[in-house]
Amino acid sequence: MIRISVSLGEGYDVNIGQGILSSIGDAARRLFPKGHTVAVVTDDNVKELYLEPVLNALTISGFRPLSYSILPGEASKSTDTYFALLNWLASNHLTRSDIIIALGGGVVGDLAGFAAATYLRGISYIQIPTTLLAMVDSSVGGKTGIDLESGKNLAGAFHQPSFVLCDINMLNTLPINIFNDGMAEVIKYGMLCGPKLLNQLLDSPPKDKLEQIIAECITIKRNIIQKDEFDTGERKLLNFGHTIGHAIELLSDYQISHGAAVSIGMAIITRAALMQKLCPHECLNVLTKLLSSFELPIKTNYNAKELYNAALSDKKRQGAFITIIVPTAFGKCELKTIPVEALLNWIEMGLEPFEPSF
């Protein structure tokens, strides 16, 4: 097992290993010796696979476990689902000494985390991510939230978890397209500041070394967010591909998955950077090769104006300016603040065909 410590909030550990789900009861009891009730929030798919062993482990450790299940998918990150969850927590009389466990992928983690951040003005919560995407990205760092009609994650709060448990055996039950969705975020970390990670991905299949790859991604994220917990500077790097990616998700009414949308977003920005001679051909070549190897898309049918208009509600916009993340070298990206209207030109350049040379 690999343990990574994160020095945010009150500080917490991220445990990564095989077959460690059964340890959740003991871990929760060590963290919350006076806790009585644990509300496990999950979705209908994960419920059938992993809810029972989690409830059993919590019961053995002396907790009163309750469970709340939502429909799978981005549509559940809504105000209706959020308020229903808050009312359920209240009807079951959870107190500030009780805890929430998010058992699921990014939707469950974001929703349950936001409920934990706001119920009784904040109670503790634990993340048990069940997808690769959630393990390497959304479960760590304390970003919680729900979607509004105007865009993704527009209502939320920073609320750090008390513990994160990543049992990589859970990834064995993922459909291949959901696993590949998570690989978009893994590749993102390599492009940001992980030349070692990029070389690992180029050399051999990730399933041969999942524990190490997940740990490397979390370490990269940990090192960034510890310098910028509230996303005012360096943490924005983690949004490489996300401004356009979120626009694609919104335009598709979330029928295009997060990983696929981010994959397209990274490809568009990298093509635009290459056309402006801001990065070498190697950046686009490696990115395209890796994304294609996991059957992730690099093109979209949406035009530049549609993408631009959908991106105007992006959280990284500040008044008349927006910050984009631009590759500058193999395994290196930089923040670039541009006038909002200049984003349209970036998107137009990124949509131009520009074939890599493998």
Side-chain angles (χ1 to χ4, degrees):
M1 186 184 75
I2 300 172
R3 177 176 289 114
I4 299 170
S5 295
V6 181
S7 299
L8 292 176
E10 297 181 1
Y12 56 95
D13 288 337
V14 182
N15 286 0
I16 309 155
Q18 293 182 315
I20 62 174
L21 183 61
S22 60
S23 67
I24 186 58
D26 290 340
R29 181 52 75 195
R30 285 194 300 272
L31 288 166
F32 305 102
K34 296 181 180 179
H36 175 57
T37 301
V38 180
V40 181
V41 181
T42 189
D43 69 34
D44 291 347
N45 289 340
V46 176
K47 175 182 177 180
E48 298 302 317
L49 295 168
Y50 301 116
L51 179 60
E52 185 175 349
V54 170
L55 296 181
N56 288 342
L58 292 168
T59 300
I60 291 170
S61 294
F63 290 101
R64 178 178 76 108
L66 307 171
S67 65
Y68 186 89
S69 185
I70 63 173
L71 293 174
E74 190 73 24
S76 287
K77 275 178 59 175
S78 66
T79 52
D80 287 346
T81 309
Y82 165 65
F83 283 119
L85 175 54
L86 290 182
N87 282 315
W88 179 81
L89 294 170
S91 68
N92 282 282
H93 310 293
L94 264 76
T95 69
R96 284 182 173 171
S97 63
D98 298 321
I99 59 175
I100 291 173
I101 288 181
L103 174 67
V107 169
V108 168
D110 285 357
L111 173 70
F114 189 37
T118 50
Y119 178 71
L120 299 180
R121 296 192 175 93
I123 66 173
S124 299
Y125 75 112
I126 288 171
Q127 290 271 18
I128 306 180
T130 59
T131 66
L132 178 61
L133 193 153
M135 287 184 186
V136 300
D137 194 61
S138 59
S139 65
V140 177
K143 277 190 177 181
T144 71
I146 57 173
D147 304 334
L148 302 182
E149 289 183 7
S150 296
K152 185 165 177 171
N153 296 330
L154 294 184
F158 289 94
H159 188 51
Q160 300 295 335
S162 298
F163 179 60
V164 181
L165 185 150
C166 300
D167 186 340
I168 62 174
N169 284 355
M170 290 177 160
L171 302 181
N172 294 332
T173 57
L174 285 184
I176 186 63
N177 63 308
I178 303 300
F179 179 85
N180 288 347
D181 218 46
M183 285 306 302
E185 292 285 356
V186 172
I187 293 166
K188 177 198 79 174
Y189 283 110
M191 292 291 292
L192 285 183
C193 48
K196 173 185 171 185
L197 178 57
L198 287 177
N199 284 321
Q200 278 184 307
L201 296 174
L202 290 167
D203 287 345
S204 59
K207 289 193 175 182
D208 295 345
K209 49 203 171 187
L210 268 179
E211 196 169 322
Q212 291 74 24
I213 285 175
I214 292 168
E216 179 70 14
C217 292
I218 292 172
T219 299
I220 290 172
K221 182 169 188 178
R222 187 272 311 272
N223 293 343
I224 291 174
I225 63 178
Q226 284 185 167
K227 300 175 187 174
D228 178 24
E229 179 176 2
F230 299 111
D231 207 13
T232 59
E234 188 174 348
R235 184 169 181 162
K236 292 179 183 179
L237 285 169
L238 298 172
N239 291 309
F240 175 44
H242 284 58
T243 294
I244 297 171
H246 286 170
I248 291 169
E249 288 183 86
L250 180 63
L251 289 167
S252 73
D253 197 22
Y254 300 101
Q255 295 307 298
I256 297 177
S257 68
H258 178 71
V262 167
S263 174
I264 297 167
M266 290 190 293
I268 288 174
I269 287 294
T270 305
R271 281 196 293 267
L274 179 57
M275 292 184 73
Q276 297 177 82
K277 297 182 168 42
L278 297 174
C279 72
H281 285 262
E282 182 184 28
C283 289
L284 182 60
N285 288 346
V286 169
L287 175 65
T288 306
K289 181 176 183 178
L290 287 174
L291 293 176
S292 299
S293 70
F294 295 101
E295 300 180 350
L296 289 162
I298 57 174
K299 297 179 181 179
T300 179
N301 291 326
Y302 297 114
N303 64 44
K305 194 66 176 177
E306 290 172 319
L307 294 170
Y308 172 73
N309 288 333
L312 291 180
S313 62
D314 188 89
K315 300 185 299 303
K316 294 171 289 305
R317 180 180 174 186
Q318 295 180 316
F321 295 89
I322 191 167
T323 300
I324 58 175
I325 297 87
V326 180
T328 56
F330 182 77
K332 183 181 180 183
C333 289
E334 294 180 1
L335 300 173
K336 186 175 181 65
T337 300
I338 60 174
V340 170
E341 59 270 18
L343 179 62
L344 178 59
N345 189 44
W346 274 80
I347 296 173
E348 287 172 340
M349 286 188 290
L351 290 176
E352 288 292 321
F354 199 110
E355 294 302 324
S357 55
F358 293 150

